Amino acid sequence: MAISTRICSLTADLNRNSLPPGLVFMPLMRLLTRGLIVAALAGTSAVHSEDSPDFATYGKPFVTMYCIECHRGADAKAELAFDAVNDTEAVIRGRGAWESAIRMVIAGEMPPEDHPQPTVKEAEAFVEHVKAIFDFSDRHAKPDPGRVTMRRLNKVEYRNTVQDLIGVAFDPTEDFPSDDIGHGFDNIGDVLTVSPVLMERYMAAAETIMDQAISTHPPEVIKRHLSSTYTEPASADVATKMMVDGFRRLTSNATEAIEVGPLHTPYQWEDGDYLFRTRAYAHNTGATPVKVAILIHGADLADPSSDEQLATIAGNVLKPAKILKIHELKANHRDQAETIEVQVPMMKGRHRMMVGQLKPTESEAPTQLFVEYMALDGPLDTRPKSQQKLLACDGTKPQPEQTKEVMSRFLRRAFRRRVTEEELQRSIDLVDASIVGGESWVSSVQLAMQAALCSPKFLFRVEQDEAPSGSDIQALDEFQLACRLSYFLWSSMPDDQLLNLAESGQLAGNLDAQVTRMLTDARSSSLVQNFALQWLQIKRIASVAPDVKLFPSFNDDLRQSMLKETELFVQSILREDRSVMDLITADFTYLNETLARHYGVTDTNGSMAGRPVNEPPGQPIRGPEFVRVTFSDSSRGGLLTQGSILTVTSNPTRTSPVKRGRWVLEQILGSPPPGPPPNVPELPASEAVVASTTVRQRLEEHRKNPACANCHAKMDPIGFALENFDAVGAYREKDGAFDIDASGEFSDGTKFSGVNDLKSIITARRAEVARCLCEKLMTYALGRGIEYYDRPVIEKILKSIETEDYRFSVLVTQIVKSEAFRQRRGASQ
């Protein structure tokens, strides 16, 4: 009825203006066709319908009216011919072209401006129809886990892998070229190319790494020697009363601490074994030799001696202590003084060494012990810790067997899989050839390890196929699965536990337990550093430059504090295994004094400067250390109000509701708007305009442009809800002389006022938030973009996490257990 009324009205208008009959006929026909299109598309199958959408009936009329003129025959524009597409199957076969086409329609770039234009309702209905075709196809398609391009380790993965494999602490990637970004991340196989410059850097890095890891000329053992005069218990009387010809006298029945002992002195300890030495003799009138006790003391000492054991030693023994050796001293004159040695093994809590004498029995006379010095040598193994780890082997075996033991262990870890006999023999031959050339065994093994670090088997994450040219789906082998898992959660190589499980074929059956273990490991912080910060797009805060005149408080300290806040917040969601929705709704964050002052927060209970203190009051926020701050309302909790995000989504001189709205749509809701049409002018920014209008008023004027209105209607309201936060994330109630208006209405009629309402609206769309995060995390985990054939896997994951309150660990576990993560197909599909 509405269409008929409109036709009649238009006919009357045309007749009154006495237009030629031909000009009346064409608009009438176009309007009639539009009516048919709208009516037809209104009846098209909705998403998730059980019936396949019929393109011939519902989609073809739109294409015929708006697309065929340019996209037909051999000379079709952009080589896209739609005139031969008459059914749903043809649309599915040409999916790539059709996805490109609907993107152009969504962006308003097609049809061209000088051609008939569909209404917004027509365009939206057509796009929904084509999407429904693809949705139906995806849900009924043969499973396809996809195929990941063999990719090299990116800079972070290379650095972490070298540190875990070799044990060096420096960063060997400082002069490496930057990694390219694909699908928002720097671990995407398709963009991780290897340039000649990078290959040169790999060669130089391998040499530097091994030079630091293995020392061919270890330094001498450090020797510490202390005269007994300067040992404790100390007193000014020691030199005059207690020293006898260079020996300090200890008497078993004395009353003063300096006389009875035991002697002791502190040391600085490194990892490793030490050798302790002392020189002593004794005076004893009885027949039983004096027994000397060598002890070690420390507050955190592991496995100390019992109080009963320590009570046998004369004097005040510092506790806790462990008796390392009891020595019967036969020497009774300084010329016969004996040197007593004891090995001090690696143990927790070492601090002081002590020398004392055992108490004589009640029937025996008091004894005297004379001590010349206390000496400590060590660590006895001065090789770097990395060298001790890399070259550890059975030293009693012949050298060729030592080489085999060392290189087989190293190559297994470096190549992250079982090593073939041929690969191992090649490394052994390199060691042997180097030794024949005059090099030592240590330097020869060092050379072989250096060569392994330059191998593609180390530099690349290789997933070999049994039939690479086929289309069959293959399960990853256990080592490949271990690599995917470790680089996903740790950005580093598999540890020994993962490799051992893979070696025994038990990893696939223990994925739940391994994910739990790995998420609680400190190395999972890389999931925040390397996934979350890229997903949230806040690494670029390092290069943002807010206007120093408008924002004088913004400096590098504040910049780093903003980034740290987001890191700690996301880390807490992971560590506490919270719902991913808490990323939006959480009532807490992490602040130090710098950031708290910037936000106007005064204590850990979220009290705000200039407002009444919350009850109960929290602890004042002081110093550089971050503390958890809980807010009584949700105005500052969650990601949306964090300075890092608010700053990177602003302009240097003002907030940008457009950037902030686009960020929420793209990174949180997974609905990125199309790019702006060409030649769109910037908002007026002259001093007169800025002084007389708000950003909101200028944007509303900008939206009057029909080419801009559709996308801005989705982005701007989100940005308006965040207008109480300025361009560097500080709270405000005025924009210059104007009051902030943080209210608005979305295109579906939903009204809001401020950030709290925005959080509620986003929370109500939790399915979209979960889908967006799932797709982002899968992209990062797989090292490739999400494709249409991943839809069934994603739907399955989303159903699983919905029943578990969207907990982060469940999302990670379901991704790891998915077909896309555990399988791959050949290249021909």
Side-chain angles (χ1 to χ4, degrees), residues 463-536:
E463 295 177 352
Q464 293 180 325
D465 294 334
E466 293 182 2
S469 60
S471 60
D472 291 340
I473 294 174
Q474 308 169 31
L476 298 178
D477 72 33
E478 294 267 305
F479 286 101
Q480 294 167 356
L481 182 59
C483 283
R484 281 202 181 186
L485 188 56
S486 65
Y487 282 102
F488 172 29
L489 300 183
W490 290 345
S491 296
S492 186
M493 60 177 286
D495 65 358
D496 287 339
Q497 185 168 339
L498 286 174
L499 290 175
N500 291 338
L501 285 171
E503 185 86 45
S504 61
Q506 299 180 48
L507 177 58
N510 288 277
L511 284 178
D512 291 88
Q514 287 304 304
V515 169
T516 300
R517 176 182 75 89
M518 295 175 73
L519 286 177
T520 57
D521 190 285
R523 283 169 287 189
S524 65
S525 61
S526 65
L527 201 56
V528 177
Q529 290 285 333
N530 305 322
F531 164 70
L533 300 191
Q534 291 190 86
W535 159 48
L536 298 173

Side-chain angles (χ1 to χ4, degrees), residues 10-11 14 19-32:
L10 181 58
T11 303
L14 292 173
L19 293 175
L23 293 181
V24 175
F25 177 76
M26 288 304 295
L28 279 173
M29 290 302 297
R30 186 164 288 126
L31 188 58
L32 284 170

